Amino acid sequence: MNWERWGVRRLMVEGGGTLNRRFDEGGLVNEIYSFIGNIIIGGKDAPTVADGEGFIKESEFARLTLLESTRH
């Protein structure tokens, strides 16, 4: 898929880890916005931002650059 075909230049995906992983695998992710709250929720079975098989090779690791940080 590309934006020319569908006419979509920007799409916000608020899915879980599985959906996020599929978009990343398809090369469709160019920005990630993250919120860090003042509580911790989780555990050993808690979903992550990219569920699935995981990244095995270093060449598969997602490389991110912090563009902005705002403290509220």
Side-chain angles (χ1 to χ4, degrees):
M1 284 190 260
N2 58 42
W3 74 269
E4 292 95 355
R5 178 177 178 188
W6 299 102
V8 176
R9 295 190 66 132
R10 180 172 247 180
L11 177 68
M12 183 173 87
V13 177
E14 288 188 304
T18 301
L19 182 62
N20 293 342
R21 173 70 181 205
R22 295 288 183 239
F23 270 79
D24 185 49
E25 287 174 342
L28 301 171
V29 176
N30 63 359
E31 291 182 35
I32 296 176
Y33 289 81
S34 179
F35 170 79
I36 300 173
N38 63 342
I39 60 174
I40 296 174
I41 303 171
K44 68 182 181 82
D45 296 321
T48 66
V49 71
D51 289 341
E53 296 299 315
F55 303 103
I56 304 301
K57 301 176 189 170
E58 186 175 345
S59 62
E60 298 173 336
F61 296 172
R63 304 291 181 197
L64 306 175
T65 302
L66 180 63
L67 299 178
E68 182 179 344
S69 175
T70 304
R71 183 175 179 169
H72 295 276

